[in-house]
């Protein structure tokens, strides 16, 4: 491709760095050439590629590097070691939200299944994002100011001259049509919110799917409350199916006549859990209770 366009090896190197949104001075420092020489290479690239401006050059660089990777977009999702059970309705609804909105927060109490659902939705949506999907686990981050650095590490961006880490991430994702999954935002919401505001403003083709125990409180946020696994039916609900599968996995397969008992255990446990630990977003009542089948948005406050 490079040869076809009559581009020299040095020009290809410059193009690749322009694709990373480095300035001429930064490109020069990286390649040990003068700024004047970089300018010459950039002019030559604009002419040879018929690109109207530097932004168009960066887009060409992004596209070429994608083709060089075999046409495959980056996909950096962890692979869970256990199977994913059920959630048909939630998968559809969350996928729809991610398609329609640029920042979606999957919100619910710890253990309800936010991470697994986000991963399932991201894996299914990967093909819709030409530049791929990235996953960032924010659990190890304790300082809200380090959210950008965590994203930078996940997408493979190092520190760049004359740029903060946040600016480097925004520059790297500026032209990317990608999905960024930010998992476990709750404890660093103070850092996530301002970072996301700048990231989404600077990266018009980027979509962010966040998981959090509480909503992020950013103006453009689309909140998707994650309900517990479904409990309808006697032994054929998602919750019971997960129970039966995991029981079988540890060498305790349940006979069909025990399935109803399994469903009852799930109901009892979920009712306790919901009473004790979580209320719908914005619900002020400390005595809020939910039946296991009620919607997490239907507390009536
Ligand atoms: N739909 C599902 N299918 C299979 N396992 C699930 C499913 N949802 C949650 N789990 C399991 O339940 C546990 C908690 O889920 P997780 O996604 O980590 O919750 P959260 O992110 O809300 O804290 C994990 O062990 C996870 O593998
Ligand atoms: Mg999680």
């Amino acid at each position: 491709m490079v040869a076809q366009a009559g581009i020299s090896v040095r020009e290809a190197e410059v193009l690749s760095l322009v694709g990373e949104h480095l300035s001429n001075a930064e490109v020069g420092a990286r390649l040990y050439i003068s700024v004047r020489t970089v300018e010459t290479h950039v002019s030559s690239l604009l002419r040879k590629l018929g690109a109207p401006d530097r932004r168009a050059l960066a887009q060409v660089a992004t596209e070429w590097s994608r083709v060089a990777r075999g046409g495959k977009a980056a996909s950096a999702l962890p692979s869970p070691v256990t199977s994913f059970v059920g959630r048909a309705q939630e998968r559809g609804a969350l996928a729809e939200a991610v398609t329609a909105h640029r920042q979606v927060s999957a919100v619910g109490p710890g253990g309800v299944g936010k991470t697994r659902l986000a991963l399932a939705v991201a894996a299914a949506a990967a093909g819709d994002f030409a530049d791929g999907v990235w996953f960032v686990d924010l659990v190890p981050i304790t300082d809200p100011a380090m959210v950008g650095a965590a994203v930078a590490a996940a997408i493979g961006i190092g520190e760049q001259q004359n740029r903060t880490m946040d600016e480097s991430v925004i520059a790297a994702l500026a032209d990317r049509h990608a999905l960024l999954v930010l998992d476990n935002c709750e404890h660093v919401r103070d850092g996530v919110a301002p970072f996301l505001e700048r990231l989404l403003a600077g990266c018009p083709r980027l979509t962010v799917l966040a998981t959090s125990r509480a909503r992020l409180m950013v103006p453009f946020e689309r909140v998707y409350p994650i309900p517990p696994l479904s409990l309808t039916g006697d032994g054929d609900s998602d919750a019971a199916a997960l129970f039966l599968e995991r029981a079988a996995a540890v060498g305790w397969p349940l006979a069909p006549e025990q399935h109803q008992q399994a469903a009852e255990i799930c109901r009892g446990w979920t009712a306790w859990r919901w009473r004790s630990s979580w209320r719908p977003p914005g619900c002020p009542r400390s005595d809020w209770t939910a039946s296991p089948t009620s919607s997490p948005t239907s507390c009536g406050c």
Side-chain angles (χ1 to χ4, degrees):
M1 195 178 271
V2 169
Q4 274 166 10
I7 289 172
S8 69
V9 172
R10 183 57 105 190
E11 285 168 348
E13 288 171 344
V14 171
L15 179 63
S16 157
L17 294 174
V18 168
E20 289 180 29
H21 301 275
L22 299 191
S23 66
N24 283 351
E26 289 166 336
V27 173
R30 283 272 188 104
L31 299 179
Y32 302 104
I33 55 180
S34 70
V35 174
R36 178 71 64 84
T37 307
V38 177
E39 285 167 0
T40 308
H41 287 315
V42 169
S43 312
S44 170
L45 284 164
L46 289 168
R47 183 172 39 78
K48 287 179 182 174
L49 294 170
D53 53 27
R54 195 178 180 96
R55 192 177 170 85
L57 267 192
Q59 273 170 353
V60 171
T62 303
E63 182 57 23
W64 283 15
S65 82
R66 194 166 72 80
V67 172
R69 289 195 304 264
K72 289 199 187 80
S75 185
L77 292 175
S79 312
V81 288
T82 53
S83 63
F84 184 82
V85 175
R87 291 287 200 192
Q89 198 273 332
E90 294 90 340
R91 283 176 83 157
L94 188 56
E96 230 170 76
V98 166
T99 306
H101 305 279
R102 293 191 53 221
Q103 202 274 301
V104 178
S105 297
V107 173
V112 78
K114 299 181 293 297
T115 299
R116 289 300 298 264
L117 186 59
L119 279 173
V121 167
D128 301 336
F129 292 89
D131 293 312
V133 179
W134 282 284
F135 179 88
V136 187
D137 180 7
L138 294 177
V139 161
I141 304 301
T142 51
D143 179 355
M146 296 304 285
V147 170
V151 175
I155 67 175
I157 299 285
E159 207 160 331
Q160 292 173 1
Q161 239 178 5
N162 303 325
R163 279 195 176 130
T164 64
M165 208 48 124
D166 289 8
E167 286 166 351
S168 300
V169 170
I170 293 167
L173 297 178
D175 297 319
R176 301 292 172 103
H177 180 216
L179 174 64
L180 178 66
V181 181
L182 285 186
D183 195 28
N184 295 298
C185 294
E186 53 275 338
H187 62 297
V188 281
R189 284 193 303 160
D190 288 353
V192 172
F195 173 71
L196 281 189
E197 290 208 34
R198 287 197 289 143
L199 183 71
L200 289 166
C203 308
R205 300 167 74 214
L206 185 72
T207 296
V208 175
L209 170 57
T211 80
S212 179
R213 293 186 189 190
R215 58 168 295 197
L216 302 178
M217 306 297 282
V218 282
F220 41 81
E221 176 179 35
R222 185 76 179 190
V223 177
Y224 180 74
I226 304 206
L229 285 177
S230 80
L231 283 153
T232 49
D234 285 341
D236 58 353
S237 64
D238 286 352
L242 180 57
F243 186 101
L244 296 175
E245 197 194 290
R246 296 295 191 265
V250 294
W252 186 42
L254 297 185
E257 60 272 20
Q258 294 174 300
H259 288 192
Q260 193 178 340
Q261 248 177 307
E264 276 160 21
I265 291 171
C266 293
R267 280 200 203 95
W269 187 80
T270 304
W272 170 83
R273 187 175 174 81
W274 274 60
R275 264 197 299 276
S276 64
S277 67
W278 195 64
R279 304 190 295 278
C283 171
R285 287 161 46 185
S286 58
D287 63 340
W288 183 76
T289 57
S291 80
T293 50
S294 69
S295 151
T297 54
S298 64
C299 78
C301 289

